Amino acid sequence: MSGLRTVILASLCSATFAQYIVSNDSSISRILGPRLTSNARIILPGDVDFSSSSERWQEYAKPTFKAIVEVTTESDISETIIYANERSIPFLAVANGHGTVHSLGGFQHGIGIRLHKMNKIQFTEDGTHVTIGGGASNGDVLQALKAANKQTSTGVCECTGFVGPALGGGHGLLEGHYGMMVDNIIDALVVLANGSVVTVSNEVNNELFWALRGAGHNFGIIPSIRYKVHTPEALDWNYTIFMFSGNKLEQVYETMNDIVVGRQQNLTKMINYAVWMRNPELDPVNPVILFGILYPTSDSHGPALTASFHDFGPLSVQSGQISYWDLPELTGNGKNSAICQRGMVHMKFPIYLDKYNTTALRSAYNEFNLATSQVPAFKDTILLFEAYSLSNVPDTIWTNTAFPWRNARALVTPVITYQPDKRLDDTAIQFGASIRQLLYQGSNSHELRAYVNYAFGDERPEQLYGNEPWRLTRLHRAKEQYDPNNRFRWYAPIIR
Ligand SMILES: Cc1cc2nc3c(=O)[nH]c(=O)nc-3n(C[C@H](O)[C@H](O)[C@H](O)COP(=O)(O)OP(=O)(O)OC[C@H]3O[C@@H](n4cnc5c(N)ncnc54)[C@H](O)[C@@H]3O)c2cc1C
């Protein structure tokens, strides 16, 4: 009897549930539509541009949508959140769609709040700051800065969003001049989980302001931020791009250690990027090391620091002077570059290091070599090394924002890349995780430190948001106050 009752109840429930879903899909235009401003738009499955509007840079663990609302004002964002709350539908901010963390895959059949039309960039008359829309791309901002003859901290790649990177810290070429992206936010508008709109700054809602700068994906949707801009300090840059064969690894990274962790690091504005990759033309058997050094021409230490790398017998060297504005193109981060193409799987396993342990790097190289030769589909996989100058990042700001890893010197990230093929996913995860583990074992760190903007998604909150206990306590408190129902839980959530 009770079994039959369960069956009847279950079928009733699923009928009601199905009805609810159907009525929801068809009612969103009828009910939410009139609440939105005239330029907003609701895109539903079946609309011609639904699939292009849902496209992501990362194919693995993608969020999926039952509707996408293209918002144009903060009131559109508010109304959409209120509508979603009334029906317990999940919602997610989408700016430029480059988020990769696998928790995004937990977001299924929700409402995408697409911000790309909110991309206005407006400088103040006195030229001290700029207001940037929550949907502006990094490329939009770079272009606007160039036109206004200003500089500030931005991401490197033109195709990502601007606010998205800033919410997780924001690394970039001018970090050694102006600090990280989070350090340049003056204030922000935030639409909270209940649909209300608040301003956050050091003066108002300052705990939320602190939390937003490093753990920002967990707290709200940002229609716009006010951001510091500066008179340019670094418009002309020197670059040298070496290609080394894998057997030069120890020499190259031991020398780099002197710059990355040594005294010299604080003296110079030098930036180092390195990429391990397969390049059959240069080496048909083993991965090669692309090793790029960039520094502003005004940096008097740059030439001497670069000189030693020439002695290691590179396979090739390319060097010259370039305008700051052309650096995205040079570094393969321009909006038309291969890195901006959508539709591939890219699994990232980031780790911050204080110095390079060349024994661990050698083991990682061997692993990289093995996996990329045994699985031809992984041929575009890279190991990315980023070491930004810290010369203008004062110790005093280490606690000012929720970004926890300012003392780290280098960011190393295996990026396992392949055409979507579910049969390869487990192998790819094992590969990325094992390289990260080798690097972690070779570090002296007692905790893995990972960059939230690159997180794979298996990291614990303290590995993304900081292992000093007060940090998570403070974030939890802000969460209780501003998002007690954990509606913002899709991007590297603090609370799982
Ligand atoms: C090719 C490439 C280059 C990169 N280069 C850099 C770099 O130079 N420096 C760096 O620090 N990081 C870099 N990243 C990492 C980047 O910071 C993250 O991938 C970031 O999440 C991308 O933001 P998006 O708007 O493009 O993506 P989305 O997927 O649209 O956004 C990612 C998440 O950010 C949140 N979000 C975005 N906009 C808003 C908003 N306005 N309000 C509230 N929440 C919002 C949402 O939670 C969303 O899920 C790069 C990533 C890629 C793929």
Side-chain angles (χ1 to χ4, degrees):
M1 179 66 188
S2 77
L4 182 63
R5 200 165 154 257
T6 312
V7 172
I8 293 169
L9 270 179
S11 55
L12 275 177
C13 284
S14 57
T16 318
F17 185 61
Q19 240 171 14
Y20 169 77
I21 298 279
V22 171
S23 75
N24 239 356
D25 281 351
S26 58
S27 71
I28 182 164
S29 303
R30 188 167 42 81
I31 297 173
L32 177 60
R35 298 190 201 166
L36 302 175
T37 56
S38 57
N39 290 325
R41 200 172 144 230
I42 298 170
I43 308 175
L44 295 172
D47 288 344
V48 275
D49 50 352
F50 182 79
S51 74
S52 60
S53 305
S54 330
E55 265 180 7
R56 312 275 310 170
W57 187 76
Q58 158 72 304
E59 282 297 309
Y60 176 73
K62 282 202 301 190
T64 64
F65 306 98
K66 63 160 62 205
I68 292 170
V69 183
E70 281 186 350
V71 290
T72 56
T73 64
E74 59 252 31
S75 86
D76 292 337
I77 302 173
S78 280
E79 290 297 345
T80 308
I81 290 180
I82 291 166
Y83 173 89
N85 284 345
E86 286 163 356
R87 287 157 184 80
S88 302
I89 303 171
F91 54 83
L92 178 72
V94 180
N96 275 54
H98 283 65
T100 46
V101 63
H102 80 47
S103 54
L104 284 168
F107 181 91
Q108 292 296 308
H109 307 298
I111 297 179
I113 300 185
R114 192 160 183 230
L115 295 152
H116 73 128
K117 287 183 175 166
M118 297 184 69
N119 61 352
K120 200 162 158 191
I121 298 167
Q122 200 163 20
F123 291 85
T124 49
E125 267 179 26
D126 67 1
T128 56
H129 61 262
V130 61
T131 302
I132 299 172
S137 73
N138 195 48
D140 293 338
V141 175
L142 283 167
Q143 226 174 21
L145 287 164
K146 182 181 180 186
N149 191 30
K150 294 285 176 189
Q151 278 186 324
T152 191
S153 286
T154 67
V156 185
C157 187
E158 290 182 338
C159 55
T160 68
F162 186 85
V163 167
L167 293 178
H171 285 299
L173 298 169
L174 295 179
E175 208 169 316
H177 294 257
Y178 311 121
M180 296 182 74
M181 291 175 77
V182 276
D183 303 323
N184 288 280
I185 302 177
I186 302 166
D187 56 32
L189 276 183
V190 187
V191 186
L192 298 175
N194 62 7
S196 61
V197 186
V198 297
T199 299
V200 297
S201 69
N202 278 326
E203 283 72 46
V204 282
N205 295 306
N206 53 339
E207 272 304 292
L208 182 55
F209 187 49
W210 176 82
L212 212 64
R213 291 172 298 157
H217 315 86
N218 285 273
F219 289 98
I221 299 187
I222 320 292
S224 63
I225 55 176
R226 282 202 310 148
Y227 203 78
K228 288 181 203 162
V229 292
H230 314 268
T231 305
E233 285 176 13
L235 285 174
D236 298 314
W237 287 63
N238 287 323
Y239 68 89
T240 308
I241 300 170
F242 300 94
M243 282 287 191
F244 289 107
S245 56
N247 62 359
K248 301 293 164 66
L249 184 156
E250 284 77 6
Q251 282 169 295
V252 168
Y253 282 90
E254 265 153 25
T255 305
M256 200 60 207
N257 266 340
D258 189 35
I259 302 169
V260 172
V261 296
R263 240 172 338 105
Q264 318 201 60
Q265 213 276 348
N266 288 332
L267 297 176
T268 177
K269 304 285 187 196
M270 178 184 276
I271 294 165
N272 168 235
Y273 286 108
V275 178
W276 295 359
M277 60 184 184
R278 289 215 159 259
N279 182 331
E281 277 168 31
L282 285 178
D283 188 332
V285 181
N286 298 308
V288 294
I289 302 172
L290 180 156
F291 194 82
I293 290 178
L294 309 169
Y295 57 88
T297 51
S298 55
D299 182 348
S300 56
H301 299 274
L305 294 177
T306 314
S308 39
F309 293 96
H310 287 272
D311 300 339
F312 304 145
L315 296 169
S316 69
V317 185
Q318 212 191 320
S319 61
Q321 227 178 65
I322 191 166
S323 154
Y324 168 76
W325 307 110
D326 294 330
L327 283 172
E329 208 59 57
L330 177 81
T331 55
N333 284 290
K335 61 176 178 296
N336 299 318
S337 59
I339 193 78
C340 288
Q341 302 313 311
R342 294 176 185 236
M344 299 280 279
V345 172
H346 307 270
M347 292 189 186
K348 299 183 183 179
F349 296 84
I351 177 169
Y352 281 112
L353 297 175
D354 293 326
K355 69 183 286 193
Y356 297 123
N357 173 334
T358 48
T359 311
L361 284 185
R362 174 56 65 190
S363 306
Y365 179 88
N366 292 341
E367 179 78 9
F368 183 86
N369 196 357
L370 192 71
T372 53
S373 58
Q374 281 184 345
V375 187
F378 293 164
K379 67 179 175 27
D380 294 327
T381 291
I382 59 166
L383 203 73
L384 174 66
F385 295 76
E386 298 168 72
Y388 297 98
S389 164
L390 294 179
S391 67
N392 211 26
V393 183
D395 291 4
T396 47
I397 61 171
W398 285 12
T399 53
N400 280 4
T401 71
F403 179 78
W405 306 131
R406 287 177 191 273
N407 49 354
R409 297 295 169 132
L411 175 57
V412 184
T413 313
V415 187
I416 321 300
T417 302
Y418 52 101
Q419 290 285 350
D421 180 347
K422 287 197 182 318
R423 292 167 305 174
L424 292 176
D425 292 348
D426 288 345
T427 312
I429 293 169
Q430 259 173 22
F431 171 24
S434 75
I435 289 196
R436 176 158 72 176
Q437 186 60 19
L438 288 168
L439 297 174
Y440 174 60
Q441 281 165 356
S443 73
N444 278 332
S445 190
H446 58 278
E447 179 77 280
L448 173 78
R449 295 168 294 169
Y451 184 32
V452 68
N453 281 341
Y454 293 3
F456 176 63
D458 60 346
E459 302 87 354
R460 284 183 286 107
E462 38 283 81
Q463 295 173 331
L464 299 174
Y465 298 113
N467 48 18
E468 302 127 302
W470 63 267
R471 284 191 177 272
L472 273 182
T473 306
R474 205 168 160 184
L475 287 173
H476 282 164
R477 244 187 264 130
K479 203 62 188 157
E480 269 161 38
Q481 186 176 354
Y482 293 101
D483 182 19
N485 297 320
N486 203 13
R487 297 289 275 154
F488 292 100
R489 62 176 181 281
W490 307 111
Y491 191 101
I494 296 165
I495 298 169
R496 293 175 182 182

